Amino acid sequence: MRKFEHVDGQMLIGGARAVDIVKRFGSPIYVTDEDAVRENYRAVYGAFAKRMPTRINYACKANTNLAILRILEQEGSCIDAVSIGEVETCLRAGFSPDRILYTGVNVSNDELRAVSSKRVPINVDSLSELERLSKITTELPLSFRVNPEVGSGHSEKVITGAKSTKFGVPKHQIIDAYARALELGFRPKGLHAHIGSGGQAVEPFIRMTEVLVTIAQELESKLGIELEFIDIGGGIGIPYRPEESVMDLDLLAEEVTGRIKAGTTARTIVVEPGRYIIADSTVLLATVVDLKDTPDKKFAGTDAGFNNLVRPAFYGSYHRVAVANKFDRPAEAKYDIVGPICETGDHIAKDRELPKLDEGDIIVAYDAGAYGFTMSSNYNMRPLCREVLVHKGEMNLIREKQTLEDLLRQVKVPSRLLV
Ligand SMILES: *Cc1c(COP(=O)(O)O)cnc(C)c1O
């Protein structure tokens, strides 16, 4: 869990005072510390790269801001993209097509055509997709996503590797899928699985790796395929709650690379962290606009709702919160931090012990960098909020707030309704 400095009771993010950020740009606002992104990237890359050649495919659905992508491009990262929109965004951010791997699910022919026309390799999710892709091109490097029948994640909604999910080629069909790919003229290069999002335990990764190693061995003995890479997907969790543990990256890397090196001829390991790289680099700042005491609870109403950060409402996720302008004060009362969306489920945090709150205080929600902004919405006709990058005290706006015009641009009214 990232530690934040403070001066005179004022929280600092990347050397800038949270209150100054809000004073200058308004709230709600996402604030990313550039150094933290680089540090996280280097931690995960370093743990694996000292054991075998490693490629990090940053899972950009966690956060696709172009400035964030530029930081990771500079670091040497590659990309896991799950849509043509993400592919095109990453190309625009300066990633060459060979540094992107597209892993879609239920991919349409239009999307297959669009992705392959950009020369971006496709990680195939089903036999149907393989057949459809073969009619478009067999030229690009090919890999398959297998369903390893090993699942893990912070919520039922994000466990992708279990037997009953929609993802990947079913394990019992995977050898046939490669055989069919050879018949169709493809050159299979890799094997991929992704167990889910947000576990801190090493054990599911070991079980998944064992499945991948067994498949790689069968591919070699039965089909003569020597894979170039094995991709263990993403899903490295972070401690959102104070009592949660951090993933032991060194142990994870040791257990996984050890098995791949001992059991296969694959030269490269691919890892696809999203959350681990970006979650704790970013906070959401919101202003307390309303205070309400009910017989049951004290509510602190802020200008941020589940339109800005949906994880608590959608997954029941926990985000640690603090008061940025009372950072050194002790807790005095228990609050629910809620937003302006007209639904009871709209909350950022529940039953939190905080210093006594006043209107105008700045609430900070931690670990908001992954699946924070990217999952925000225009519900209740609220514009998407600003994002700021801080670097050694310097603040740069990296996304403007939407305007009402932006929200209405694609809407059309038939002329008969205009009289
Ligand atoms: C979402 C996703 C990831 C990243 O998951 P995190 O939990 O953010 O690390 C990696 N690979 C694929 C295929 C994904 O869909």
Side-chain angles (χ1 to χ4, degrees):
M1 190 166 292
R2 206 158 277 278
K3 284 273 291 170
F4 290 91
E5 307 286 312
H6 55 97
V7 281
D8 308 328
Q10 299 289 336
M11 179 195 194
L12 298 176
I13 307 161
R17 287 174 185 230
V19 286
D20 291 342
I21 296 169
V22 171
K23 215 174 278 167
R24 180 148 155 213
F25 300 108
S27 77
I29 190 163
Y30 278 95
V31 184
T32 300
D33 177 357
E34 178 172 336
D35 284 345
V37 180
R38 294 186 188 276
E39 221 174 84
N40 290 343
Y41 176 84
R42 289 172 197 180
V44 65
Y45 176 75
F48 286 90
K50 71 176 181 222
R51 297 183 161 91
M52 72 183 285
T54 298
R55 166 168 158 149
I56 300 295
N57 283 1
Y58 165 62
C60 73
K61 70 178 185 291
N63 189 322
T64 36
N65 187 289
L66 288 172
I68 305 288
L69 294 174
R70 284 300 311 143
I71 295 168
L72 290 165
E73 197 282 329
Q74 285 184 345
E75 288 293 322
S77 185
C78 297
I79 292 289
D80 161 50
V82 298
S83 74
I84 179 65
E86 288 187 355
V87 165
E88 290 184 349
T89 302
C90 293
L91 289 170
R92 246 185 243 200
F95 291 89
S96 54
D98 60 309
R99 283 171 74 184
I100 303 173
L101 179 63
Y102 171 88
T103 299
V105 64
N106 300 319
V107 185
S108 70
N109 291 339
D110 284 349
E111 187 136 322
L112 284 178
R113 268 190 289 273
V115 173
S116 50
S117 76
K118 303 286 181 194
R119 315 294 306 157
V120 168
I122 293 174
N123 187 32
V124 172
D125 187 77
S126 73
L127 292 170
S128 153
E129 186 182 332
L130 177 71
E131 296 294 332
R132 293 183 288 114
L133 178 63
S134 72
K135 298 194 176 95
I136 297 165
T137 179
T138 56
E139 290 303 303
L140 293 166
L142 184 88
S143 54
F144 282 102
R145 174 179 192 160
V146 66
N147 183 328
E149 300 181 3
V150 177
S152 169
H154 66 77
S155 148
E156 278 292 317
K157 292 189 174 82
V158 299
I159 296 173
T160 55
K163 210 185 215 172
S164 55
T165 69
K166 68 177 176 178
F167 294 99
V169 176
K171 207 166 75 172
H172 72 274
Q173 291 177 350
I174 191 69
I175 303 296
D176 290 347
Y178 280 89
R180 180 64 183 146
L182 290 179
E183 241 171 56
L184 289 166
F186 286 101
R187 288 159 298 132
K189 298 243 195 266
L191 171 63
H192 165 272
H194 173 60
I195 53 179
S197 196
Q200 274 100 289
V202 172
E203 191 268 338
F205 285 94
I206 295 178
R207 279 192 289 140
M208 171 191 58
T209 305
E210 285 170 348
V211 172
L212 294 178
V213 166
T214 305
I215 294 168
Q217 288 168 347
E218 277 186 56
L219 289 176
E220 203 172 332
S221 64
K222 293 189 177 154
L223 301 175
I225 294 174
E226 289 196 7
L227 295 175
E228 288 173 19
F229 69 85
I230 289 188
D231 184 334
I232 63 162
I236 304 172
I238 63 144
Y240 285 95
R241 292 172 190 268
E243 69 273 17
E244 283 173 344
S245 56
V246 287
M247 170 68 92
D248 185 341
L249 279 183
D250 221 50
L251 180 66
L252 173 70
E254 181 63 27
E255 296 288 348
V256 168
T257 59
R259 283 169 171 81
I260 292 174
K261 284 191 291 187
T264 79
T265 52
R267 247 185 60 73
T268 304
I269 182 167
V270 181
V271 191
E272 302 175 336
R275 185 185 316 276
Y276 185 86
I277 287 179
I278 202 69
D280 78 354
S281 72
T282 302
V283 297
L284 174 64
L285 300 180
T287 305
V288 175
V289 294
D290 191 282
L291 291 162
K292 189 180 286 179
D293 279 353
T294 71
D296 281 349
K297 276 180 181 286
K298 287 181 188 303
F299 287 105
T302 71
D303 53 8
F306 79 61
N307 54 316
N308 303 111
L309 181 64
V310 79
R311 299 188 70 256
F314 188 57
Y315 300 120
S317 301
Y318 180 100
H319 283 266
R320 193 156 59 116
V321 296
V323 188
N325 57 309
K326 295 175 177 171
F327 212 62
D328 54 354
R329 300 227 198 135
E332 290 164 298
K334 202 183 256 186
Y335 294 93
D336 276 17
I337 311 296
V338 293
I341 295 296
C342 292
E343 291 204 19
T344 308
D346 181 29
H347 72 282
I348 301 290
K350 280 185 178 162
D351 297 322
R352 300 301 172 83
E353 299 279 356
L354 294 171
K356 190 178 166 311
L357 290 174
D358 296 293
E359 290 160 18
D361 283 345
I362 306 298
I363 298 288
V364 45
Y366 287 68
D367 303 320
Y371 312 103
F373 186 90
T374 52
M375 290 184 79
S376 58
S377 78
N378 290 129
Y379 189 38
N380 285 197
M381 284 301 273
R382 294 196 177 274
L384 299 185
C385 73
R386 295 184 180 92
E387 295 176 287
V388 160
L389 186 67
V390 285
H391 182 55
K392 308 206 187 303
E394 188 186 325
M395 315 169 200
N396 298 108
L397 196 62
I398 57 171
R399 183 190 299 271
E400 257 305 350
K401 184 178 163 180
Q402 281 184 324
T403 62
L404 186 64
E405 275 319 300
D406 293 328
L407 270 68
L408 292 175
R409 187 160 297 138
Q410 290 91 10
V411 183
K412 298 198 187 309
V413 181
S415 58
R416 69 171 183 283
L417 301 179
L418 290 172
V419 291

